[in-house]
Amino acid sequence: NNDTTTWSRNGTLVLSNSNATNNTWQGIDNKDSGNAINSGIAFVNTDQTNHYGRIDFAVRGASGFNGAAMSINNGNVGIGTTGPLSKLDVNGGVAVGSYAGVSAAPSNGMIVSGNVGIGTTGPHNKLEIVGPGSNTDVLNINKGTGVGGILFTFNGVDYPSYIRTFEASSAAGYMSFGVNNAQSTNVEVMRLQV
């Protein structure tokens, strides 16, 4: 990559690259006692005409060298991706709160130990959604056609009760309510249909 390193008079370390090709880079590597690189920082020249750049942080772990452990690109931060399109892009699972460093999130999923607020900075429950008012829906459950809805359990599996709806393009829809019969199964007890 035709790297050069200089110190400016004010003590700033300057890394430069004379290769005018886009996406060339120069960086700083860390080597262990076995002379193997285990981490590094790459400064990428993404657009040399407009002088745009990107910073990639890379680390080596049990699964190999991850060149996109974290990336800063166009004011956005990417974890697991070098092309973040939002202020924070995460390619992989996310653990938030007391779960961080303790429990692994599902692949491309999220686990949160505290309350989650949408439209509010002070949620009082595990999930609180505050809408704008003025006869506006605040939650849309798009489950597709067929029967489905909301399931209530005490441990994620057993003794479910439910609120379900049925939608189909060629049949009348309905909403049904079911409760468990103390045998880990549920029984429909009411149905609303026009």
Side-chain angles (χ1 to χ4, degrees):
N1 282 305
N2 302 323
D3 297 349
T4 60
T5 304
T6 60
W7 288 95
S8 66
R9 291 182 178 179
N10 62 7
T12 301
L13 175 65
V14 178
L15 304 178
S16 59
N17 193 323
S18 60
N19 189 332
T21 305
N22 287 342
N23 294 314
T24 56
W25 59 273
Q26 55 279 348
I28 302 173
D29 293 331
N30 179 66
K31 291 185 177 182
D32 58 24
S33 60
N35 203 35
I37 298 173
N38 56 28
S39 58
I41 304 173
F43 303 90
V44 185
N45 306 300
T46 56
D47 185 335
Q48 304 227 32
T49 301
N50 294 297
H51 311 295
Y52 297 159
R54 186 181 79 230
I55 303 175
D56 292 342
F57 298 83
V59 294
R60 185 188 301 277
S63 59
F65 207 85
N66 183 356
M70 187 174 75
S71 180
I72 303 174
N73 189 358
N74 197 31
N76 298 328
V77 175
I79 299 176
T81 176
T82 58
L85 300 178
S86 306
K87 288 301 178 184
L88 177 61
D89 276 13
V90 179
N91 182 8
V94 178
V96 179
S98 61
Y99 292 149
V102 177
S103 301
S107 178
N108 293 321
M110 176 183 287
I111 52 177
V112 180
S113 63
N115 295 344
V116 176
I118 300 175
T120 176
T121 59
H124 298 91
N125 303 97
K126 288 298 182 182
L127 175 62
E128 183 173 342
I129 303 173
V130 177
S134 302
N135 301 315
T136 301
D137 296 328
V138 297
L139 179 63
N140 180 359
I141 302 176
N142 184 350
K143 64 174 185 56
T145 60
V147 179
I150 303 173
L151 195 64
F152 303 89
T153 67
F154 84 88
N155 63 357
V157 179
D158 294 329
Y159 304 104
S161 297
Y162 65 79
I163 302 173
R164 291 176 177 161
T165 62
F166 170 79
E167 293 85 20
S169 59
S170 59
Y174 63 80
M175 174 177 285
S176 62
F177 298 81
V179 296
N180 77 80
N181 62 357
Q183 297 178 2
S184 296
T185 57
N186 51 53
V187 177
E188 181 178 312
V189 295
M190 182 171 69
R191 177 177 293 194
L192 303 176
Q193 188 171 15
V194 176

